[in-house]
Amino acid sequence: MAKRLIALLAAVAMLFTFVACQQGGQGGSDATPTPAQGGDDATPTEGVDYTEGGKWLNIPGANDNMDWRLPAMEFKTTEVVFLNHGEIAQPDIERFSAFRDGYGLSHTTVTVGPEDRITKFVSSVMSEEAPDIFVYSFLPSMVNKGYVQPWDDYMDMSIGLWDKYRASAETLKYKGHYYSVGAQQARWDSAVFYNVSIFEELSLKSPKEYYDEGNWTWTTMRELAKQATVDADGDGTPEIYGFAADTGSCFVYSTGTAFVTFDSAAELGASNNMRSDGVARAMQFYTDLIVNDGVTLWGSDLRNEFAAGQIAMYHPDAAWYCFGWVDMMKAGTVALVPFPKDPDADAYYIKEVYGDYMIGANCKNPEGAAAYVLSAMYDQLNTNDHIEKTNEERFEAGGWSNEIDDMIQEMCYSEDKVPVQMTWITFELGEYWGDIWFGPHLGEPWSAIAEAVYPKVQDNIVRVMEG
């Protein structure tokens, strides 16, 4: 179930492990085909049952949800090559039994430094040694220059296995095709963690109670932050701040947009939203929390200040920070809710990171690359065995629990949540981090900030989209 996906996401975030494949040149006449893995004449992998004339394969030990079946496939080679800035996590590949035992595939990882990944990928494509999977945030310029090819050329994205991922894939659809996909839907960075003890001691309703009532919005969070802010000695510096966030980016995402969004109707294929009404409203709300309400703490040590009981509600940009709150996590004094809904939005939008895999042009094993993605999705949806052990180990190390997994599954992945892709990295907006975030903390109006940053962001869009 998706719960298993969440556990993988948490483990990945904690270990900073990303999966990558390298593609090589197209097989051509010199390729040595391996036994067919699908079709009426398929040669079955030992221990794998084929059904419906060889169209589907079933992995022994998985559940019997036939909506999540894997298609049988044929490969020119059994090796899938990954290009990444780090080695693929061996436990992950070993857990993906469908990739190993179902499809009979193996992997090789070509590793390069993070700053060299694009150069290495492009040179590999140009020398006809493209990796099967290039792990990187989606870069439309790779499409425009012919360095990558569509995933939908190699797998049927209408099958049931894609049902839980389709909305995420659609957000990155470009020129009518899917050039960037993934097996992970990272939404837990949209969580708001809160100190249960503070709300109990102040006799306040918790964020979860508001969420359960269907009344968890910017408005109720703001009022709750005011109530949870404590300045006992009246010196103007609260001992407890009601709210804190590393940045106000999730306010922007919850309006249904981002600073930059992919937009097929835009001239360059992406829209610069720095001047948009949604971004302006979100940034003004964030500024008001800090400057007008005085209930929001900001700084570089928020994760430790939350652990010290100085913050009632904390939205970290990276939810793995919670592994620094071991004692609180084990004691059950930390809980979470999704980021509150924008009361003026037409849906419950939530930030998501998706689509780290691109498939190289003229690679040796594009079908194998597709089989890897499908296998990763399949195993995350179907396999239970690794979850209890993973969470037991993570509880001992950092206090993570099945209860936290349940909270994330229930709240961040429920059907009412609509994903908005984080494009901050793709469009290299980190260059303007100070320009965007220091101003609100000084009370500078967003209109002035937007006018100063807009042309810089536009330059980035041109660079990313055109290369």
PDB file of all heavy atoms in Angstrom, residues 88-124:
ATOM      1  N   ILE A  88      23.754   3.248  -6.118  1.00  0.00           N
ATOM      2  CA  ILE A  88      22.384   2.843  -5.811  1.00  0.00           C
ATOM      3  C   ILE A  88      22.374   2.082  -4.497  1.00  0.00           C
ATOM      4  O   ILE A  88      23.312   1.347  -4.189  1.00  0.00           O
ATOM      5  CB  ILE A  88      21.800   1.980  -6.941  1.00  0.00           C
ATOM      6  CG1 ILE A  88      20.349   1.604  -6.649  1.00  0.00           C
ATOM      7  CG2 ILE A  88      22.621   0.741  -7.171  1.00  0.00           C
ATOM      8  CD1 ILE A  88      19.686   0.888  -7.813  1.00  0.00           C
ATOM      9  N   ALA A  89      21.340   2.275  -3.702  1.00  0.00           N
ATOM     10  CA  ALA A  89      21.252   1.611  -2.408  1.00  0.00           C
ATOM     11  C   ALA A  89      21.047   0.115  -2.613  1.00  0.00           C
ATOM     12  O   ALA A  89      20.009  -0.307  -3.101  1.00  0.00           O
ATOM     13  CB  ALA A  89      20.100   2.194  -1.590  1.00  0.00           C
ATOM     14  N   GLN A  90      22.036  -0.689  -2.240  1.00  0.00           N
ATOM     15  CA  GLN A  90      21.939  -2.125  -2.467  1.00  0.00           C
ATOM     16  C   GLN A  90      20.711  -2.749  -1.797  1.00  0.00           C
ATOM     17  O   GLN A  90      20.036  -3.579  -2.401  1.00  0.00           O
ATOM     18  CB  GLN A  90      23.218  -2.817  -1.987  1.00  0.00           C
ATOM     19  CG  GLN A  90      23.346  -4.261  -2.462  1.00  0.00           C
ATOM     20  CD  GLN A  90      23.518  -4.355  -3.969  1.00  0.00           C
ATOM     21  OE1 GLN A  90      24.109  -3.485  -4.579  1.00  0.00           O
ATOM     22  NE2 GLN A  90      22.995  -5.408  -4.573  1.00  0.00           N
ATOM     23  N   PRO A  91      20.373  -2.365  -0.545  1.00  0.00           N
ATOM     24  CA  PRO A  91      19.169  -2.950   0.055  1.00  0.00           C
ATOM     25  C   PRO A  91      17.909  -2.674  -0.747  1.00  0.00           C
ATOM     26  O   PRO A  91      16.990  -3.490  -0.785  1.00  0.00           O
ATOM     27  CB  PRO A  91      19.111  -2.288   1.436  1.00  0.00           C
ATOM     28  CG  PRO A  91      20.525  -1.902   1.723  1.00  0.00           C
ATOM     29  CD  PRO A  91      21.086  -1.494   0.393  1.00  0.00           C
ATOM     30  N   ASP A  92      17.850  -1.517  -1.412  1.00  0.00           N
ATOM     31  CA  ASP A  92      16.671  -1.204  -2.203  1.00  0.00           C
ATOM     32  C   ASP A  92      16.561  -2.140  -3.405  1.00  0.00           C
ATOM     33  O   ASP A  92      15.497  -2.683  -3.696  1.00  0.00           O
ATOM     34  CB  ASP A  92      16.710   0.250  -2.688  1.00  0.00           C
ATOM     35  CG  ASP A  92      16.412   1.236  -1.573  1.00  0.00           C
ATOM     36  OD1 ASP A  92      15.968   0.780  -0.505  1.00  0.00           O
ATOM     37  OD2 ASP A  92      16.641   2.436  -1.769  1.00  0.00           O
ATOM     38  N   ILE A  93      17.662  -2.323  -4.124  1.00  0.00           N
ATOM     39  CA  ILE A  93      17.642  -3.223  -5.272  1.00  0.00           C
ATOM     40  C   ILE A  93      17.308  -4.643  -4.824  1.00  0.00           C
ATOM     41  O   ILE A  93      16.537  -5.352  -5.461  1.00  0.00           O
ATOM     42  CB  ILE A  93      19.002  -3.205  -5.999  1.00  0.00           C
ATOM     43  CG1 ILE A  93      19.027  -2.064  -7.013  1.00  0.00           C
ATOM     44  CG2 ILE A  93      19.257  -4.501  -6.739  1.00  0.00           C
ATOM     45  CD1 ILE A  93      18.112  -2.279  -8.204  1.00  0.00           C
ATOM     46  N   GLU A  94      17.880  -5.076  -3.693  1.00  0.00           N
ATOM     47  CA  GLU A  94      17.603  -6.422  -3.209  1.00  0.00           C
ATOM     48  C   GLU A  94      16.140  -6.577  -2.816  1.00  0.00           C
ATOM     49  O   GLU A  94      15.562  -7.651  -2.929  1.00  0.00           O
ATOM     50  CB  GLU A  94      18.518  -6.746  -2.031  1.00  0.00           C
ATOM     51  CG  GLU A  94      19.980  -6.894  -2.459  1.00  0.00           C
ATOM     52  CD  GLU A  94      20.907  -7.090  -1.279  1.00  0.00           C
ATOM     53  OE1 GLU A  94      20.426  -7.000  -0.137  1.00  0.00           O
ATOM     54  OE2 GLU A  94      22.109  -7.325  -1.501  1.00  0.00           O
ATOM     55  N   ARG A  95      15.532  -5.479  -2.333  1.00  0.00           N
ATOM     56  CA  ARG A  95      14.131  -5.575  -1.946  1.00  0.00           C
ATOM     57  C   ARG A  95      13.214  -5.601  -3.162  1.00  0.00           C
ATOM     58  O   ARG A  95      12.124  -6.152  -3.110  1.00  0.00           O
ATOM     59  CB  ARG A  95      13.760  -4.397  -1.042  1.00  0.00           C
ATOM     60  CG  ARG A  95      12.413  -4.589  -0.362  1.00  0.00           C
ATOM     61  CD  ARG A  95      11.998  -3.393   0.470  1.00  0.00           C
ATOM     62  NE  ARG A  95      11.693  -2.259  -0.369  1.00  0.00           N
ATOM     63  CZ  ARG A  95      12.431  -1.155  -0.400  1.00  0.00           C
ATOM     64  NH1 ARG A  95      13.513  -1.044   0.339  1.00  0.00           N
ATOM     65  NH2 ARG A  95      12.114  -0.143  -1.173  1.00  0.00           N
ATOM     66  N   PHE A  96      13.660  -4.998  -4.266  1.00  0.00           N
ATOM     67  CA  PHE A  96      12.822  -4.964  -5.460  1.00  0.00           C
ATOM     68  C   PHE A  96      12.863  -6.332  -6.137  1.00  0.00           C
ATOM     69  O   PHE A  96      13.513  -6.536  -7.159  1.00  0.00           O
ATOM     70  CB  PHE A  96      13.286  -3.878  -6.425  1.00  0.00           C
ATOM     71  CG  PHE A  96      13.081  -2.475  -5.912  1.00  0.00           C
ATOM     72  CD1 PHE A  96      13.755  -1.411  -6.482  1.00  0.00           C
ATOM     73  CD2 PHE A  96      12.221  -2.217  -4.850  1.00  0.00           C
ATOM     74  CE1 PHE A  96      13.576  -0.121  -6.015  1.00  0.00           C
ATOM     75  CE2 PHE A  96      12.046  -0.929  -4.369  1.00  0.00           C
ATOM     76  CZ  PHE A  96      12.731   0.121  -4.949  1.00  0.00           C
ATOM     77  N   SER A  97      12.162  -7.284  -5.550  1.00  0.00           N
ATOM     78  CA  SER A  97      12.205  -8.658  -6.045  1.00  0.00           C
ATOM     79  C   SER A  97      11.675  -8.763  -7.466  1.00  0.00           C
ATOM     80  O   SER A  97      12.096  -9.641  -8.232  1.00  0.00           O
ATOM     81  CB  SER A  97      11.399  -9.568  -5.123  1.00  0.00           C
ATOM     82  OG  SER A  97      10.049  -9.128  -5.034  1.00  0.00           O
ATOM     83  N   ALA A  98      10.772  -7.908  -7.849  1.00  0.00           N
ATOM     84  CA  ALA A  98      10.240  -7.959  -9.207  1.00  0.00           C
ATOM     85  C   ALA A  98      11.331  -7.648 -10.223  1.00  0.00           C
ATOM     86  O   ALA A  98      11.404  -8.251 -11.290  1.00  0.00           O
ATOM     87  CB  ALA A  98       9.075  -6.976  -9.356  1.00  0.00           C
ATOM     88  N   PHE A  99      12.197  -6.711  -9.910  1.00  0.00           N
ATOM     89  CA  PHE A  99      13.294  -6.338 -10.807  1.00  0.00           C
ATOM     90  C   PHE A  99      14.281  -7.485 -10.935  1.00  0.00           C
ATOM     91  O   PHE A  99      14.696  -7.850 -12.037  1.00  0.00           O
ATOM     92  CB  PHE A  99      13.988  -5.094 -10.237  1.00  0.00           C
ATOM     93  CG  PHE A  99      15.173  -4.617 -11.034  1.00  0.00           C
ATOM     94  CD1 PHE A  99      14.999  -3.910 -12.211  1.00  0.00           C
ATOM     95  CD2 PHE A  99      16.462  -4.860 -10.588  1.00  0.00           C
ATOM     96  CE1 PHE A  99      16.092  -3.455 -12.936  1.00  0.00           C
ATOM     97  CE2 PHE A  99      17.561  -4.402 -11.306  1.00  0.00           C
ATOM     98  CZ  PHE A  99      17.373  -3.706 -12.475  1.00  0.00           C
ATOM     99  N   ARG A 100      14.634  -8.068  -9.816  1.00  0.00           N
ATOM    100  CA  ARG A 100      15.657  -9.111  -9.792  1.00  0.00           C
ATOM    101  C   ARG A 100      15.098 -10.478 -10.200  1.00  0.00           C
ATOM    102  O   ARG A 100      15.616 -11.135 -11.096  1.00  0.00           O
ATOM    103  CB  ARG A 100      16.261  -9.185  -8.390  1.00  0.00           C
ATOM    104  CG  ARG A 100      17.389 -10.183  -8.233  1.00  0.00           C
ATOM    105  CD  ARG A 100      17.763 -10.365  -6.762  1.00  0.00           C
ATOM    106  NE  ARG A 100      16.676 -10.997  -6.025  1.00  0.00           N
ATOM    107  CZ  ARG A 100      16.018 -10.411  -5.024  1.00  0.00           C
ATOM    108  NH1 ARG A 100      16.320  -9.179  -4.655  1.00  0.00           N
ATOM    109  NH2 ARG A 100      15.044 -11.051  -4.397  1.00  0.00           N
ATOM    110  N   ASP A 101      14.044 -10.912  -9.516  1.00  0.00           N
ATOM    111  CA  ASP A 101      13.525 -12.259  -9.717  1.00  0.00           C
ATOM    112  C   ASP A 101      12.440 -12.317 -10.796  1.00  0.00           C
ATOM    113  O   ASP A 101      12.349 -13.303 -11.522  1.00  0.00           O
ATOM    114  CB  ASP A 101      12.938 -12.803  -8.405  1.00  0.00           C
ATOM    115  CG  ASP A 101      13.985 -12.886  -7.307  1.00  0.00           C
ATOM    116  OD1 ASP A 101      15.160 -13.103  -7.641  1.00  0.00           O
ATOM    117  OD2 ASP A 101      13.635 -12.712  -6.127  1.00  0.00           O
ATOM    118  N   GLY A 102      11.622 -11.274 -10.862  1.00  0.00           N
ATOM    119  CA  GLY A 102      10.556 -11.282 -11.844  1.00  0.00           C
ATOM    120  C   GLY A 102      11.063 -11.045 -13.254  1.00  0.00           C
ATOM    121  O   GLY A 102      10.791 -11.810 -14.178  1.00  0.00           O
ATOM    122  N   TYR A 103      11.863  -9.981 -13.422  1.00  0.00           N
ATOM    123  CA  TYR A 103      12.363  -9.637 -14.751  1.00  0.00           C
ATOM    124  C   TYR A 103      13.753 -10.202 -15.028  1.00  0.00           C
ATOM    125  O   TYR A 103      14.232 -10.142 -16.156  1.00  0.00           O
ATOM    126  CB  TYR A 103      12.388  -8.120 -14.922  1.00  0.00           C
ATOM    127  CG  TYR A 103      11.022  -7.506 -15.107  1.00  0.00           C
ATOM    128  CD1 TYR A 103      10.554  -6.507 -14.260  1.00  0.00           C
ATOM    129  CD2 TYR A 103      10.189  -7.919 -16.149  1.00  0.00           C
ATOM    130  CE1 TYR A 103       9.300  -5.939 -14.443  1.00  0.00           C
ATOM    131  CE2 TYR A 103       8.940  -7.356 -16.348  1.00  0.00           C
ATOM    132  CZ  TYR A 103       8.495  -6.361 -15.488  1.00  0.00           C
ATOM    133  OH  TYR A 103       7.259  -5.795 -15.671  1.00  0.00           O
ATOM    134  N   GLY A 104      14.424 -10.690 -13.988  1.00  0.00           N
ATOM    135  CA  GLY A 104      15.749 -11.269 -14.195  1.00  0.00           C
ATOM    136  C   GLY A 104      16.810 -10.244 -14.539  1.00  0.00           C
ATOM    137  O   GLY A 104      17.765 -10.537 -15.257  1.00  0.00           O
ATOM    138  N   LEU A 105      16.681  -9.029 -14.021  1.00  0.00           N
ATOM    139  CA  LEU A 105      17.600  -7.948 -14.359  1.00  0.00           C
ATOM    140  C   LEU A 105      18.599  -7.691 -13.236  1.00  0.00           C
ATOM    141  O   LEU A 105      18.365  -8.026 -12.076  1.00  0.00           O
ATOM    142  CB  LEU A 105      16.813  -6.664 -14.648  1.00  0.00           C
ATOM    143  CG  LEU A 105      15.881  -6.710 -15.858  1.00  0.00           C
ATOM    144  CD1 LEU A 105      14.978  -5.480 -15.891  1.00  0.00           C
ATOM    145  CD2 LEU A 105      16.678  -6.818 -17.150  1.00  0.00           C
ATOM    146  N   SER A 106      19.716  -7.081 -13.596  1.00  0.00           N
ATOM    147  CA  SER A 106      20.720  -6.644 -12.635  1.00  0.00           C
ATOM    148  C   SER A 106      21.057  -5.188 -12.934  1.00  0.00           C
ATOM    149  O   SER A 106      20.584  -4.620 -13.923  1.00  0.00           O
ATOM    150  CB  SER A 106      21.975  -7.517 -12.732  1.00  0.00           C
ATOM    151  OG  SER A 106      22.543  -7.413 -14.034  1.00  0.00           O
ATOM    152  N   HIS A 107      21.895  -4.580 -12.079  1.00  0.00           N
ATOM    153  CA  HIS A 107      22.179  -3.158 -12.267  1.00  0.00           C
ATOM    154  C   HIS A 107      23.665  -2.875 -12.140  1.00  0.00           C
ATOM    155  O   HIS A 107      24.422  -3.601 -11.497  1.00  0.00           O
ATOM    156  CB  HIS A 107      21.423  -2.318 -11.244  1.00  0.00           C
ATOM    157  CG  HIS A 107      22.126  -2.235  -9.921  1.00  0.00           C
ATOM    158  ND1 HIS A 107      22.144  -3.287  -9.028  1.00  0.00           N
ATOM    159  CD2 HIS A 107      22.857  -1.243  -9.343  1.00  0.00           C
ATOM    160  CE1 HIS A 107      22.834  -2.954  -7.959  1.00  0.00           C
ATOM    161  NE2 HIS A 107      23.290  -1.716  -8.121  1.00  0.00           N
ATOM    162  N   THR A 108      24.077  -1.792 -12.782  1.00  0.00           N
ATOM    163  CA  THR A 108      25.409  -1.213 -12.625  1.00  0.00           C
ATOM    164  C   THR A 108      25.226   0.283 -12.453  1.00  0.00           C
ATOM    165  O   THR A 108      24.368   0.884 -13.114  1.00  0.00           O
ATOM    166  CB  THR A 108      26.285  -1.476 -13.871  1.00  0.00           C
ATOM    167  OG1 THR A 108      26.465  -2.884 -14.019  1.00  0.00           O
ATOM    168  CG2 THR A 108      27.645  -0.803 -13.736  1.00  0.00           C
ATOM    169  N   THR A 109      26.013   0.886 -11.568  1.00  0.00           N
ATOM    170  CA  THR A 109      25.907   2.321 -11.340  1.00  0.00           C
ATOM    171  C   THR A 109      27.200   3.012 -11.748  1.00  0.00           C
ATOM    172  O   THR A 109      28.279   2.614 -11.311  1.00  0.00           O
ATOM    173  CB  THR A 109      25.620   2.643  -9.862  1.00  0.00           C
ATOM    174  OG1 THR A 109      24.432   1.967  -9.466  1.00  0.00           O
ATOM    175  CG2 THR A 109      25.435   4.145  -9.661  1.00  0.00           C
ATOM    176  N   VAL A 110      27.092   4.017 -12.584  1.00  0.00           N
ATOM    177  CA  VAL A 110      28.210   4.902 -12.893  1.00  0.00           C
ATOM    178  C   VAL A 110      28.059   6.122 -11.999  1.00  0.00           C
ATOM    179  O   VAL A 110      27.031   6.811 -12.038  1.00  0.00           O
ATOM    180  CB  VAL A 110      28.203   5.328 -14.372  1.00  0.00           C
ATOM    181  CG1 VAL A 110      29.311   6.348 -14.642  1.00  0.00           C
ATOM    182  CG2 VAL A 110      28.365   4.114 -15.271  1.00  0.00           C
ATOM    183  N   THR A 111      29.041   6.374 -11.159  1.00  0.00           N
ATOM    184  CA  THR A 111      28.945   7.481 -10.205  1.00  0.00           C
ATOM    185  C   THR A 111      29.870   8.619 -10.614  1.00  0.00           C
ATOM    186  O   THR A 111      30.998   8.396 -11.053  1.00  0.00           O
ATOM    187  CB  THR A 111      29.303   7.015  -8.785  1.00  0.00           C
ATOM    188  OG1 THR A 111      30.644   6.517  -8.782  1.00  0.00           O
ATOM    189  CG2 THR A 111      28.369   5.917  -8.326  1.00  0.00           C
ATOM    190  N   VAL A 112      29.353   9.829 -10.482  1.00  0.00           N
ATOM    191  CA  VAL A 112      30.131  11.041 -10.737  1.00  0.00           C
ATOM    192  C   VAL A 112      29.790  12.047  -9.648  1.00  0.00           C
ATOM    193  O   VAL A 112      28.802  11.892  -8.930  1.00  0.00           O
ATOM    194  CB  VAL A 112      29.822  11.641 -12.125  1.00  0.00           C
ATOM    195  CG1 VAL A 112      30.251  10.701 -13.227  1.00  0.00           C
ATOM    196  CG2 VAL A 112      28.335  11.962 -12.257  1.00  0.00           C
ATOM    197  N   GLY A 113      30.592  13.062  -9.527  1.00  0.00           N
ATOM    198  CA  GLY A 113      30.293  14.119  -8.568  1.00  0.00           C
ATOM    199  C   GLY A 113      29.026  14.842  -8.946  1.00  0.00           C
ATOM    200  O   GLY A 113      28.686  14.930 -10.137  1.00  0.00           O
ATOM    201  N   PRO A 114      28.279  15.357  -7.958  1.00  0.00           N
ATOM    202  CA  PRO A 114      27.013  16.048  -8.255  1.00  0.00           C
ATOM    203  C   PRO A 114      27.156  17.137  -9.308  1.00  0.00           C
ATOM    204  O   PRO A 114      26.280  17.304 -10.157  1.00  0.00           O
ATOM    205  CB  PRO A 114      26.609  16.618  -6.894  1.00  0.00           C
ATOM    206  CG  PRO A 114      27.267  15.735  -5.894  1.00  0.00           C
ATOM    207  CD  PRO A 114      28.572  15.329  -6.512  1.00  0.00           C
ATOM    208  N   GLU A 115      28.267  17.862  -9.258  1.00  0.00           N
ATOM    209  CA  GLU A 115      28.438  18.975 -10.193  1.00  0.00           C
ATOM    210  C   GLU A 115      28.794  18.495 -11.598  1.00  0.00           C
ATOM    211  O   GLU A 115      28.751  19.285 -12.557  1.00  0.00           O
ATOM    212  CB  GLU A 115      29.528  19.925  -9.683  1.00  0.00           C
ATOM    213  CG  GLU A 115      30.943  19.371  -9.712  1.00  0.00           C
ATOM    214  CD  GLU A 115      31.243  18.406  -8.558  1.00  0.00           C
ATOM    215  OE1 GLU A 115      30.354  18.184  -7.711  1.00  0.00           O
ATOM    216  OE2 GLU A 115      32.378  17.879  -8.532  1.00  0.00           O
ATOM    217  N   ASP A 116      29.143  17.211 -11.739  1.00  0.00           N
ATOM    218  CA  ASP A 116      29.556  16.693 -13.040  1.00  0.00           C
ATOM    219  C   ASP A 116      28.486  15.852 -13.725  1.00  0.00           C
ATOM    220  O   ASP A 116      28.718  15.327 -14.830  1.00  0.00           O
ATOM    221  CB  ASP A 116      30.822  15.830 -12.879  1.00  0.00           C
ATOM    222  CG  ASP A 116      32.000  16.634 -12.357  1.00  0.00           C
ATOM    223  OD1 ASP A 116      32.110  17.817 -12.726  1.00  0.00           O
ATOM    224  OD2 ASP A 116      32.804  16.070 -11.579  1.00  0.00           O
ATOM    225  N   ARG A 117      27.340  15.691 -13.093  1.00  0.00           N
ATOM    226  CA  ARG A 117      26.350  14.757 -13.625  1.00  0.00           C
ATOM    227  C   ARG A 117      25.862  15.141 -15.017  1.00  0.00           C
ATOM    228  O   ARG A 117      25.765  14.301 -15.913  1.00  0.00           O
ATOM    229  CB  ARG A 117      25.155  14.640 -12.665  1.00  0.00           C
ATOM    230  CG  ARG A 117      25.362  13.632 -11.557  1.00  0.00           C
ATOM    231  CD  ARG A 117      24.110  13.431 -10.762  1.00  0.00           C
ATOM    232  NE  ARG A 117      23.745  14.616 -10.008  1.00  0.00           N
ATOM    233  CZ  ARG A 117      22.612  14.746  -9.316  1.00  0.00           C
ATOM    234  NH1 ARG A 117      21.728  13.764  -9.316  1.00  0.00           N
ATOM    235  NH2 ARG A 117      22.356  15.842  -8.631  1.00  0.00           N
ATOM    236  N   ILE A 118      25.521  16.405 -15.216  1.00  0.00           N
ATOM    237  CA  ILE A 118      24.984  16.820 -16.515  1.00  0.00           C
ATOM    238  C   ILE A 118      26.040  16.663 -17.606  1.00  0.00           C
ATOM    239  O   ILE A 118      25.764  16.133 -18.691  1.00  0.00           O
ATOM    240  CB  ILE A 118      24.465  18.268 -16.444  1.00  0.00           C
ATOM    241  CG1 ILE A 118      23.246  18.347 -15.515  1.00  0.00           C
ATOM    242  CG2 ILE A 118      24.104  18.772 -17.838  1.00  0.00           C
ATOM    243  CD1 ILE A 118      22.699  19.743 -15.337  1.00  0.00           C
ATOM    244  N   THR A 119      27.261  17.118 -17.324  1.00  0.00           N
ATOM    245  CA  THR A 119      28.333  17.007 -18.307  1.00  0.00           C
ATOM    246  C   THR A 119      28.579  15.551 -18.681  1.00  0.00           C
ATOM    247  O   THR A 119      28.724  15.207 -19.864  1.00  0.00           O
ATOM    248  CB  THR A 119      29.624  17.627 -17.755  1.00  0.00           C
ATOM    249  OG1 THR A 119      29.394  19.005 -17.450  1.00  0.00           O
ATOM    250  CG2 THR A 119      30.751  17.518 -18.768  1.00  0.00           C
ATOM    251  N   LYS A 120      28.619  14.672 -17.677  1.00  0.00           N
ATOM    252  CA  LYS A 120      28.846  13.255 -17.925  1.00  0.00           C
ATOM    253  C   LYS A 120      27.699  12.655 -18.726  1.00  0.00           C
ATOM    254  O   LYS A 120      27.924  11.862 -19.660  1.00  0.00           O
ATOM    255  CB  LYS A 120      28.992  12.512 -16.593  1.00  0.00           C
ATOM    256  CG  LYS A 120      29.131  10.994 -16.727  1.00  0.00           C
ATOM    257  CD  LYS A 120      30.380  10.597 -17.483  1.00  0.00           C
ATOM    258  CE  LYS A 120      30.538   9.082 -17.479  1.00  0.00           C
ATOM    259  NZ  LYS A 120      31.730   8.640 -18.251  1.00  0.00           N
ATOM    260  N   PHE A 121      26.477  13.035 -18.386  1.00  0.00           N
ATOM    261  CA  PHE A 121      25.326  12.487 -19.104  1.00  0.00           C
ATOM    262  C   PHE A 121      25.356  12.898 -20.571  1.00  0.00           C
ATOM    263  O   PHE A 121      25.204  12.063 -21.469  1.00  0.00           O
ATOM    264  CB  PHE A 121      24.028  12.948 -18.452  1.00  0.00           C
ATOM    265  CG  PHE A 121      22.795  12.537 -19.210  1.00  0.00           C
ATOM    266  CD1 PHE A 121      22.418  11.211 -19.277  1.00  0.00           C
ATOM    267  CD2 PHE A 121      22.018  13.486 -19.873  1.00  0.00           C
ATOM    268  CE1 PHE A 121      21.282  10.820 -19.992  1.00  0.00           C
ATOM    269  CE2 PHE A 121      20.893  13.118 -20.583  1.00  0.00           C
ATOM    270  CZ  PHE A 121      20.525  11.771 -20.646  1.00  0.00           C
ATOM    271  N   VAL A 122      25.562  14.183 -20.834  1.00  0.00           N
ATOM    272  CA  VAL A 122      25.557  14.677 -22.212  1.00  0.00           C
ATOM    273  C   VAL A 122      26.681  14.024 -23.014  1.00  0.00           C
ATOM    274  O   VAL A 122      26.480  13.585 -24.155  1.00  0.00           O
ATOM    275  CB  VAL A 122      25.682  16.206 -22.239  1.00  0.00           C
ATOM    276  CG1 VAL A 122      25.899  16.706 -23.672  1.00  0.00           C
ATOM    277  CG2 VAL A 122      24.432  16.852 -21.652  1.00  0.00           C
ATOM    278  N   SER A 123      27.867  13.929 -22.419  1.00  0.00           N
ATOM    279  CA  SER A 123      28.984  13.323 -23.140  1.00  0.00           C
ATOM    280  C   SER A 123      28.719  11.840 -23.416  1.00  0.00           C
ATOM    281  O   SER A 123      29.108  11.315 -24.464  1.00  0.00           O
ATOM    282  CB  SER A 123      30.293  13.494 -22.363  1.00  0.00           C
ATOM    283  OG  SER A 123      30.255  12.791 -21.130  1.00  0.00           O
ATOM    284  N   SER A 124      28.020  11.161 -22.482  1.00  0.00           N
ATOM    285  CA  SER A 124      27.680   9.752 -22.681  1.00  0.00           C
ATOM    286  C   SER A 124      26.714   9.589 -23.848  1.00  0.00           C
ATOM    287  O   SER A 124      26.853   8.675 -24.662  1.00  0.00           O
ATOM    288  CB  SER A 124      27.069   9.169 -21.410  1.00  0.00           C
ATOM    289  OG  SER A 124      27.991   9.187 -20.344  1.00  0.00           O
TER     290      SER A 124
END
